[in-house]
Amino acid sequence: MTAIETKILTLLQENARYSVEELAVMVGSDKDVVEATMRGLEQKGAILGYTAVLNPEIIDEDSVSALIEVKVTPQARSGFDSFAERIAAFEEVKAVYLMSGTYDLSIRLEGKTLREISTFVGEKLSSIEGVTSTATHFIMKRYKEDGVSTESANAKNRVLPLSE
């Protein structure tokens, strides 16, 4: 990874809406060089996409998020990879991680209701051969998401009690 690639990636993680012109100024390079570098990073698979960090409390999105711990019996030759790929293929699954410690995989899941999450765990996840146990943890409140604090936005929308 070159120095300019590293700088561009760091800046894009901070704010994916920086324009090519802004990035060029910040990395001390030419606009055409930054464009070519970004194209190259996309082609190499270093940049997989550009996303916005949303605050569900502000946009009134009724959804439920959960973190699910999964223990599996690894398979010969593919280990945990085949489980991770199979689980990642479900639309509800937003992230899958191989973990060290007391469980093997961590899944971040989103659904419309608690029942939808429960149904996913009970019917889809636990029915995968080799899954030995799961533990579901529902996310009650987000304080920081992808490095962005949600508290300042939440504070603006709080209703404070009237003083007597």
Side-chain angles (χ1 to χ4, degrees):
M1 190 79 39
T2 67
I4 191 168
E5 288 174 329
T6 302
K7 286 178 187 177
I8 289 171
L9 291 174
T10 301
L11 289 166
L12 287 174
Q13 281 184 302
E14 176 187 304
N15 182 354
R17 290 193 64 189
Y18 283 136
S19 69
V20 173
E21 293 81 7
E22 290 171 317
L23 289 169
V25 169
M26 289 186 267
V27 300
S29 187
D30 181 69
K31 175 186 168 230
D32 294 335
V33 171
V34 170
E35 272 183 337
T37 303
M38 288 177 65
R39 236 185 343 273
L41 289 166
E42 290 167 356
Q43 289 169 352
K44 281 198 284 195
I47 296 176
L48 299 174
Y50 302 87
T51 63
V53 180
L54 306 179
N55 187 340
E57 291 182 32
I58 301 297
I59 60 173
D60 290 330
E61 180 182 280
D62 288 329
S63 67
V64 178
S65 297
L67 299 175
I68 304 170
E69 301 171 1
V70 183
K71 290 184 183 178
V72 299
T73 303
Q75 297 182 342
R77 295 191 186 106
S78 64
F80 298 106
D81 293 346
S82 62
F83 287 106
E85 289 168 8
R86 189 165 175 194
I87 292 166
F90 290 109
E91 184 179 326
E92 308 93 310
V93 173
K94 300 304 174 193
V96 180
Y97 306 100
L98 179 62
M99 305 298 291
S100 64
T102 59
Y103 56 96
D104 304 308
L105 299 172
S106 177
I107 301 168
R108 188 168 51 85
L109 189 71
E110 291 188 14
K112 293 188 188 312
T113 63
L114 293 173
R115 181 179 301 276
E116 192 175 294
I117 301 281
S118 299
T119 300
F120 174 85
V121 173
E123 294 178 6
K124 294 180 180 177
L125 185 59
S126 64
S127 67
I128 296 173
E129 188 177 338
V131 171
T132 59
S133 70
T134 64
T136 303
H137 307 277
F138 290 99
I139 297 173
M140 309 274 291
K141 182 177 180 180
R142 298 169 197 248
Y143 294 96
K144 191 173 190 178
E145 184 76 29
D146 289 331
V148 179
S149 173
T150 60
E151 276 305 286
S152 59
N154 290 342
K156 291 177 189 171
N157 293 304
R158 285 195 187 112
V159 176
L160 299 175
L162 297 173
S163 52
E164 298 179 276

